[in-house]
Amino acid sequence: MELHLPRAHGPVSIRLVRSRDSRVLQQELLSNRSWLQPWEATSPDGPVSFDMRLGIRRLLQQYRDGHGVPLVMEYEGEIAGQLNVWGIARGSLASATIGYWVSERFAGRGITPASVAMATDLCFESLHLHRMEICIRPENRASLRVVEKLGFRYEGLRRRYIHIDGDWRDHFAFALTRDDVPEGVLRRWANGAVPRDAAAVPARDRFPSAPSAPGTAST
């Protein structure tokens, strides 16, 4: 895959993850356990090894195989979190899913929406994908704000969809197709042209109110 990276919007940038990022990323994950753990994917088979170096190696192999694009999000050149494009499907589907996490100390700086917008544009322009999806737990208010800001379209409730924090959790599904954003996701957002209520969840699918959550989506 030939990607045009890094990409930047103001102080926010995305680039491919590197093996030497493992120390910083592992440190961020460990220092953000209480912030991230309620929203992290887990395994129904039990605990898995927390080895960032091995994890990056696997992500880069998926990238070489054409199945994913592992990125880091940076703010003013400092690593702020990860964004992974995963489940890339070619052929008649031509789609992928985005997942991410951001450190608590970088929350509220617009890093996640800018990074998601740039990553989605990257997939539409460089990978020639047709559809990008983000799945979010109904309790995760911060991530719901990301899809609202960028105008991802609500597409439905997926019951007990991903194993998160020790159990199978329901998720809301949001998506954009390349036809939805001919000008690009980042440009549409920067120009204030995002359609209102695209990400609105209908009353039948809404869950009771829950505490605010960090800027994460399932990965």
Side-chain angles (χ1 to χ4, degrees):
M1 293 184 285
E2 184 177 351
L3 303 179
H4 299 109
L5 286 168
R7 293 191 174 209
H9 177 69
V12 181
S13 60
I14 58 172
R15 61 167 173 80
L16 278 175
V17 69
R18 306 173 186 134
S19 296
R20 63 178 178 268
D21 295 326
S22 60
R23 182 183 60 80
V24 174
L25 288 170
Q26 183 146 334
Q27 182 178 346
E28 290 293 332
L29 286 171
L30 289 173
S31 63
N32 280 267
R33 296 313 298 148
S34 60
W35 169 256
L36 296 173
Q37 189 169 356
W39 319 104
E40 286 182 338
T42 49
S43 171
D45 299 323
V48 296
S49 172
F50 186 71
D51 184 336
M52 181 54 67
R53 184 169 298 181
L54 176 61
I56 289 176
R57 206 156 44 228
R58 288 172 175 167
L59 288 172
L60 290 173
Q61 184 60 56
Q62 291 174 9
Y63 171 66
R64 288 188 289 270
D65 293 340
H67 300 316
V69 182
L71 304 167
V72 293
M73 300 183 286
E74 294 184 326
Y75 186 81
E76 295 182 341
E78 187 175 1
I79 291 177
Q82 282 184 276
L83 186 153
N84 291 321
V85 177
W86 59 277
I88 293 177
R90 295 293 186 175
S92 56
L93 194 54
S95 69
T97 299
I98 288 177
Y100 50 81
W101 63 266
V102 66
S103 296
E104 184 176 13
R105 63 195 179 96
F106 287 102
R109 303 190 193 187
I111 295 169
T112 305
S115 297
V116 170
M118 289 188 285
T120 303
D121 286 341
L122 175 75
C123 290
F124 287 157
E125 296 164 8
S126 297
L127 302 184
H128 308 294
L129 296 181
H130 169 69
R131 180 179 179 277
M132 296 299 296
E133 180 175 277
I134 298 178
C135 294
I136 301 170
R137 286 187 60 184
E139 301 88 348
N140 196 332
R141 294 178 181 272
S143 276
L144 292 175
R145 283 292 297 139
V146 171
V147 291
E148 289 168 4
K149 289 177 181 179
L150 299 180
F152 274 70
R153 179 178 54 255
Y154 178 71
E155 294 201 335
L157 172 63
R158 296 184 176 177
R159 295 284 186 183
R160 296 179 62 77
Y161 179 55
I162 303 176
H163 202 270
I164 302 286
D165 193 27
D167 202 359
W168 296 102
R169 311 290 183 176
D170 295 347
H171 282 67
F172 291 148
F174 303 85
L176 278 178
T177 66
R178 187 162 36 169
D179 299 336
D180 293 328
V181 282
E183 72 274 47
V185 183
L186 183 64
R187 180 173 296 178
R188 185 177 74 165
W189 176 48
N191 290 342
V194 174
R196 296 182 60 186
D197 301 326
V201 177
R204 68 179 181 274
D205 289 345
R206 288 183 201 144
F207 277 47
S209 297
S212 296
T216 60
S218 302
T219 57

